[in-house]
Amino acid sequence: MMQNALVRKTITDLGNVFYPSVCLLCHERIASQEFWLCGKCRDSLNELSKPICNKCGYPLITDECPECAENQYVFTQARAVFAYDNAAKALVHALKYRGFTKLGDWFANQIFLSEQGNNYLQEIDCVTAIPLHRVRKRERGFNQSELIAQGLAFRLNKQYFPNLIIRKNYTVSQTTLTGKQRRKNLEGAFLPGKKSAEGLKVLLVDDVFTTGSTVNEATKVLLQKGAKDVYVLTACRGL
């Protein structure tokens, strides 16, 4: 009985690597060639548009960035493609928790298309990802940020370094925390990995930039270990 359940789960997981039979947002039935969302929900993906903060990429209403005013960001620059709402949330959730791993490469392609032509991408030396704690990675079976980072490294023809930083602490989920709680939760969460960052211009990749606490703490470790610059790219940005 248990073996049959395992077989069914394996078949489901293999299907999830490719495409679902229903839209991940509205749950209407779709043809596989329609991607993970129906046409209507796909059109609702909210791409971030200018003007944005030159530092953190937050959409601006005035000349002053409210995010940079409240946070001491140490990365060189951060950019994202989609606002983290509705359709984008459905895609990220499907990637992280439902095993639609092919979405990692799709997000990588969207980031690449959004940022291609920007000079800094030619100057970076390597690509790395925000690491998961080994226990959480074992539970999930993969690191969604790593999937995106590997797809970007391939498209940029840059080396992917998986061991620049490691996750020391098994931190609680950031999802329900305030900005202050997120920063506290991540204090000391990262350590330098086996690979040296000395003199490198690093492209750091994550799935979602919410308050920036995660990428900022990781950047601090990279800079402490000699990285020259750290650029951040994420699929989505919380607003």
Side-chain angles (χ1 to χ4, degrees):
M1 195 78 168
M2 185 178 294
Q3 186 175 11
N4 290 338
L6 180 61
V7 170
R8 287 195 298 272
K9 182 181 185 303
T10 301
I11 292 172
T12 299
D13 289 346
L14 286 172
N16 286 352
V17 170
F18 299 101
Y19 299 98
S21 58
V22 297
C23 174
L24 293 175
L25 181 58
C26 72
H27 309 298
E28 291 292 324
R29 182 165 292 278
I30 57 175
S32 61
Q33 64 266 26
E34 285 189 88
F35 167 78
W36 296 271
L37 301 171
C38 68
K40 182 178 179 180
C41 290
R42 190 173 186 178
D43 289 343
S44 74
L45 279 168
N46 183 13
E47 291 191 35
L48 297 174
S49 58
K50 295 181 179 179
I52 58 174
C53 172
N54 189 53
K55 176 76 172 181
C56 77
Y58 190 81
L60 296 177
I61 298 176
T62 66
D63 291 338
E64 183 178 355
C65 175
E67 296 297 298
C68 287
E70 293 186 7
N71 299 281
Q72 295 182 333
Y73 293 134
V74 295
F75 47 74
T76 305
Q77 178 181 281
R79 294 290 183 269
V81 182
F82 302 109
Y84 190 49
D85 59 12
N86 298 324
K89 278 188 177 181
L91 294 180
V92 171
H93 189 275
L95 168 60
K96 293 172 69 171
Y97 305 118
R98 296 180 60 189
F100 288 94
T101 52
K102 197 171 178 64
L103 270 165
D105 191 66
W106 182 83
F107 274 129
N109 192 54
Q110 299 308 302
I111 296 171
F112 174 74
L113 293 175
S114 177
E115 290 296 300
Q116 66 178 341
N118 290 329
N119 291 335
Y120 76 92
L121 288 178
Q122 305 305 317
E123 298 174 357
I124 63 167
D125 298 300
C126 64
V127 181
T128 196
I130 292 293
L132 286 180
H133 188 272
R134 64 183 183 279
V135 174
R136 182 159 286 157
K137 186 173 182 179
R138 185 166 64 244
E139 291 170 346
R140 187 171 296 169
F142 59 92
N143 176 356
Q144 72 283 350
S145 299
E146 188 172 60
L147 296 178
I148 299 171
Q150 289 170 338
L152 263 174
F154 173 77
R155 287 167 173 80
L156 294 170
N157 196 27
K158 301 289 184 178
Q159 286 186 293
Y160 175 72
F161 289 166
N163 298 315
L164 283 182
I165 45 178
I166 59 175
R167 197 145 196 160
K168 175 187 175 184
N169 299 337
Y170 186 80
T171 52
V172 300
S173 174
Q174 298 276 90
T175 308
T176 60
L177 302 182
T178 65
K180 185 176 180 180
Q181 290 171 332
R182 285 170 183 263
R183 289 189 289 272
K184 184 69 175 177
N185 186 43
L186 286 162
E187 286 180 3
F190 300 106
L191 291 174
K194 295 178 180 178
K195 183 74 177 178
S196 173
E198 185 68 36
L200 297 179
K201 291 186 176 182
V202 180
L203 179 60
L204 178 62
V205 178
D206 202 4
D207 54 351
V208 181
F209 185 120
T210 306
T211 63
S213 299
T214 301
V215 293
N216 210 44
E217 287 300 312
T219 297
K220 288 176 184 178
V221 173
L222 290 170
L223 293 175
Q224 288 165 5
K225 290 303 175 180
K228 186 175 181 180
D229 288 298
V230 179
Y231 295 90
V232 174
L233 284 177
T234 61
C236 302
R237 172 73 191 247
L239 302 178

